[in-house]
Amino acid sequence: MARPEVLDRIKEAEREADEIVADAEEAREERIAAAREEAEEIREQAREEASEHKEERLAEAREEIEAEREEILEQGHEEREALEARADDQRDEAAEYVVELFTEAVDAQT
């Protein structure tokens, strides 16, 4: 094979190698871009799911707080009613005691 032919074949092989390398680099860049896009989609989906979970948990917490609040208010009403009933029961006794003290004080002055 003549020297010019060998040089032509070498140049052709180098050109083909350059094309293969360029194609591989282009394919690599496309894969990287696709992977970045997919990663961003995954991150966005994770953010949305986290936000939904946060909102659900917040709603549950509000419900729990409201239920506890209602329970505390009910207990407060019951305790108030019990105190009022005891006060009513003791009112007559207190009035009798005050009248007795007053009577003793009046008797002591005469």
Side-chain angles (χ1 to χ4, degrees), residues 14-29:
E14 287 177 348
R15 188 186 59 74
E16 287 177 10
D18 288 343
E19 285 179 13
I20 291 170
V21 169
D23 290 345
E25 286 177 0
E26 184 179 334
R28 185 192 85 193
E29 292 298 322

PDB file of all heavy atoms in Angstrom, residues 14-29:
ATOM      1  N   GLU A  14      -8.835   8.754  12.030  1.00  0.00           N
ATOM      2  CA  GLU A  14      -8.848   9.828  13.007  1.00  0.00           C
ATOM      3  C   GLU A  14     -10.162  10.615  12.948  1.00  0.00           C
ATOM      4  O   GLU A  14     -10.735  10.979  13.981  1.00  0.00           O
ATOM      5  CB  GLU A  14      -7.661  10.770  12.802  1.00  0.00           C
ATOM      6  CG  GLU A  14      -6.342  10.169  13.230  1.00  0.00           C
ATOM      7  CD  GLU A  14      -5.157  11.092  12.952  1.00  0.00           C
ATOM      8  OE1 GLU A  14      -5.318  12.096  12.220  1.00  0.00           O
ATOM      9  OE2 GLU A  14      -4.068  10.802  13.469  1.00  0.00           O
ATOM     10  N   ARG A  15     -10.658  10.878  11.733  1.00  0.00           N
ATOM     11  CA  ARG A  15     -11.919  11.597  11.572  1.00  0.00           C
ATOM     12  C   ARG A  15     -13.057  10.780  12.171  1.00  0.00           C
ATOM     13  O   ARG A  15     -13.898  11.303  12.903  1.00  0.00           O
ATOM     14  CB  ARG A  15     -12.185  11.878  10.093  1.00  0.00           C
ATOM     15  CG  ARG A  15     -13.377  12.794   9.842  1.00  0.00           C
ATOM     16  CD  ARG A  15     -13.696  12.921   8.356  1.00  0.00           C
ATOM     17  NE  ARG A  15     -13.992  11.638   7.717  1.00  0.00           N
ATOM     18  CZ  ARG A  15     -15.131  10.953   7.876  1.00  0.00           C
ATOM     19  NH1 ARG A  15     -16.076  11.398   8.664  1.00  0.00           N
ATOM     20  NH2 ARG A  15     -15.317   9.808   7.242  1.00  0.00           N
ATOM     21  N   GLU A  16     -13.045   9.472  11.894  1.00  0.00           N
ATOM     22  CA  GLU A  16     -14.086   8.604  12.454  1.00  0.00           C
ATOM     23  C   GLU A  16     -13.999   8.569  13.986  1.00  0.00           C
ATOM     24  O   GLU A  16     -15.013   8.611  14.681  1.00  0.00           O
ATOM     25  CB  GLU A  16     -13.959   7.193  11.886  1.00  0.00           C
ATOM     26  CG  GLU A  16     -14.390   7.083  10.445  1.00  0.00           C
ATOM     27  CD  GLU A  16     -14.178   5.688   9.867  1.00  0.00           C
ATOM     28  OE1 GLU A  16     -13.861   4.745  10.640  1.00  0.00           O
ATOM     29  OE2 GLU A  16     -14.321   5.533   8.651  1.00  0.00           O
ATOM     30  N   ALA A  17     -12.772   8.523  14.498  1.00  0.00           N
ATOM     31  CA  ALA A  17     -12.578   8.518  15.951  1.00  0.00           C
ATOM     32  C   ALA A  17     -13.079   9.828  16.549  1.00  0.00           C
ATOM     33  O   ALA A  17     -13.743   9.828  17.602  1.00  0.00           O
ATOM     34  CB  ALA A  17     -11.109   8.292  16.296  1.00  0.00           C
ATOM     35  N   ASP A  18     -12.790  10.961  15.882  1.00  0.00           N
ATOM     36  CA  ASP A  18     -13.281  12.254  16.362  1.00  0.00           C
ATOM     37  C   ASP A  18     -14.806  12.289  16.367  1.00  0.00           C
ATOM     38  O   ASP A  18     -15.421  12.825  17.301  1.00  0.00           O
ATOM     39  CB  ASP A  18     -12.729  13.395  15.491  1.00  0.00           C
ATOM     40  CG  ASP A  18     -11.246  13.645  15.722  1.00  0.00           C
ATOM     41  OD1 ASP A  18     -10.719  13.167  16.758  1.00  0.00           O
ATOM     42  OD2 ASP A  18     -10.615  14.309  14.873  1.00  0.00           O
ATOM     43  N   GLU A  19     -15.420  11.724  15.328  1.00  0.00           N
ATOM     44  CA  GLU A  19     -16.886  11.682  15.260  1.00  0.00           C
ATOM     45  C   GLU A  19     -17.452  10.819  16.392  1.00  0.00           C
ATOM     46  O   GLU A  19     -18.436  11.187  17.037  1.00  0.00           O
ATOM     47  CB  GLU A  19     -17.354  11.142  13.913  1.00  0.00           C
ATOM     48  CG  GLU A  19     -17.221  12.121  12.777  1.00  0.00           C
ATOM     49  CD  GLU A  19     -17.693  11.518  11.455  1.00  0.00           C
ATOM     50  OE1 GLU A  19     -18.335  10.443  11.451  1.00  0.00           O
ATOM     51  OE2 GLU A  19     -17.412  12.141  10.420  1.00  0.00           O
ATOM     52  N   ILE A  20     -16.810   9.687  16.635  1.00  0.00           N
ATOM     53  CA  ILE A  20     -17.262   8.796  17.717  1.00  0.00           C
ATOM     54  C   ILE A  20     -17.155   9.509  19.056  1.00  0.00           C
ATOM     55  O   ILE A  20     -18.083   9.470  19.875  1.00  0.00           O
ATOM     56  CB  ILE A  20     -16.453   7.477  17.712  1.00  0.00           C
ATOM     57  CG1 ILE A  20     -16.813   6.652  16.476  1.00  0.00           C
ATOM     58  CG2 ILE A  20     -16.691   6.685  18.982  1.00  0.00           C
ATOM     59  CD1 ILE A  20     -15.904   5.453  16.232  1.00  0.00           C
ATOM     60  N   VAL A  21     -16.033  10.201  19.286  1.00  0.00           N
ATOM     61  CA  VAL A  21     -15.840  10.932  20.538  1.00  0.00           C
ATOM     62  C   VAL A  21     -16.880  12.053  20.654  1.00  0.00           C
ATOM     63  O   VAL A  21     -17.492  12.239  21.710  1.00  0.00           O
ATOM     64  CB  VAL A  21     -14.404  11.495  20.631  1.00  0.00           C
ATOM     65  CG1 VAL A  21     -14.275  12.479  21.782  1.00  0.00           C
ATOM     66  CG2 VAL A  21     -13.405  10.356  20.789  1.00  0.00           C
ATOM     67  N   ALA A  22     -17.114  12.778  19.567  1.00  0.00           N
ATOM     68  CA  ALA A  22     -18.095  13.868  19.593  1.00  0.00           C
ATOM     69  C   ALA A  22     -19.498  13.324  19.869  1.00  0.00           C
ATOM     70  O   ALA A  22     -20.264  13.907  20.656  1.00  0.00           O
ATOM     71  CB  ALA A  22     -18.057  14.644  18.277  1.00  0.00           C
ATOM     72  N   ASP A  23     -19.837  12.222  19.193  1.00  0.00           N
ATOM     73  CA  ASP A  23     -21.149  11.607  19.429  1.00  0.00           C
ATOM     74  C   ASP A  23     -21.284  11.146  20.875  1.00  0.00           C
ATOM     75  O   ASP A  23     -22.339  11.331  21.508  1.00  0.00           O
ATOM     76  CB  ASP A  23     -21.363  10.417  18.488  1.00  0.00           C
ATOM     77  CG  ASP A  23     -21.560  10.840  17.028  1.00  0.00           C
ATOM     78  OD1 ASP A  23     -21.817  12.042  16.792  1.00  0.00           O
ATOM     79  OD2 ASP A  23     -21.460   9.968  16.147  1.00  0.00           O
ATOM     80  N   ALA A  24     -20.220  10.560  21.415  1.00  0.00           N
ATOM     81  CA  ALA A  24     -20.251  10.081  22.795  1.00  0.00           C
ATOM     82  C   ALA A  24     -20.398  11.259  23.765  1.00  0.00           C
ATOM     83  O   ALA A  24     -21.159  11.184  24.738  1.00  0.00           O
ATOM     84  CB  ALA A  24     -18.986   9.280  23.110  1.00  0.00           C
ATOM     85  N   GLU A  25     -19.681  12.351  23.518  1.00  0.00           N
ATOM     86  CA  GLU A  25     -19.803  13.527  24.374  1.00  0.00           C
ATOM     87  C   GLU A  25     -21.206  14.128  24.311  1.00  0.00           C
ATOM     88  O   GLU A  25     -21.777  14.522  25.329  1.00  0.00           O
ATOM     89  CB  GLU A  25     -18.761  14.575  23.984  1.00  0.00           C
ATOM     90  CG  GLU A  25     -17.355  14.207  24.411  1.00  0.00           C
ATOM     91  CD  GLU A  25     -16.316  15.225  23.961  1.00  0.00           C
ATOM     92  OE1 GLU A  25     -16.684  16.235  23.309  1.00  0.00           O
ATOM     93  OE2 GLU A  25     -15.133  15.019  24.269  1.00  0.00           O
ATOM     94  N   GLU A  26     -21.762  14.164  23.101  1.00  0.00           N
ATOM     95  CA  GLU A  26     -23.129  14.685  22.940  1.00  0.00           C
ATOM     96  C   GLU A  26     -24.131  13.794  23.679  1.00  0.00           C
ATOM     97  O   GLU A  26     -25.018  14.290  24.389  1.00  0.00           O
ATOM     98  CB  GLU A  26     -23.491  14.767  21.458  1.00  0.00           C
ATOM     99  CG  GLU A  26     -24.843  15.375  21.198  1.00  0.00           C
ATOM    100  CD  GLU A  26     -25.161  15.465  19.709  1.00  0.00           C
ATOM    101  OE1 GLU A  26     -24.224  15.530  18.883  1.00  0.00           O
ATOM    102  OE2 GLU A  26     -26.362  15.469  19.386  1.00  0.00           O
ATOM    103  N   ALA A  27     -23.967  12.475  23.555  1.00  0.00           N
ATOM    104  CA  ALA A  27     -24.857  11.541  24.242  1.00  0.00           C
ATOM    105  C   ALA A  27     -24.707  11.694  25.755  1.00  0.00           C
ATOM    106  O   ALA A  27     -25.702  11.668  26.494  1.00  0.00           O
ATOM    107  CB  ALA A  27     -24.549  10.102  23.805  1.00  0.00           C
ATOM    108  N   ARG A  28     -23.465  11.880  26.203  1.00  0.00           N
ATOM    109  CA  ARG A  28     -23.219  12.071  27.624  1.00  0.00           C
ATOM    110  C   ARG A  28     -23.902  13.338  28.133  1.00  0.00           C
ATOM    111  O   ARG A  28     -24.570  13.335  29.169  1.00  0.00           O
ATOM    112  CB  ARG A  28     -21.713  12.143  27.892  1.00  0.00           C
ATOM    113  CG  ARG A  28     -21.384  12.212  29.386  1.00  0.00           C
ATOM    114  CD  ARG A  28     -19.961  12.566  29.639  1.00  0.00           C
ATOM    115  NE  ARG A  28     -19.956  14.034  29.582  1.00  0.00           N
ATOM    116  CZ  ARG A  28     -18.885  14.773  29.517  1.00  0.00           C
ATOM    117  NH1 ARG A  28     -17.697  14.228  29.451  1.00  0.00           N
ATOM    118  NH2 ARG A  28     -18.952  16.079  29.481  1.00  0.00           N
ATOM    119  N   GLU A  29     -23.779  14.421  27.396  1.00  0.00           N
ATOM    120  CA  GLU A  29     -24.417  15.682  27.793  1.00  0.00           C
ATOM    121  C   GLU A  29     -25.940  15.532  27.827  1.00  0.00           C
ATOM    122  O   GLU A  29     -26.603  16.067  28.730  1.00  0.00           O
ATOM    123  CB  GLU A  29     -24.013  16.818  26.839  1.00  0.00           C
ATOM    124  CG  GLU A  29     -22.561  17.223  26.925  1.00  0.00           C
ATOM    125  CD  GLU A  29     -22.179  17.749  28.302  1.00  0.00           C
ATOM    126  OE1 GLU A  29     -22.987  18.452  28.936  1.00  0.00           O
ATOM    127  OE2 GLU A  29     -21.055  17.433  28.751  1.00  0.00           O
TER     128      GLU A  29
END
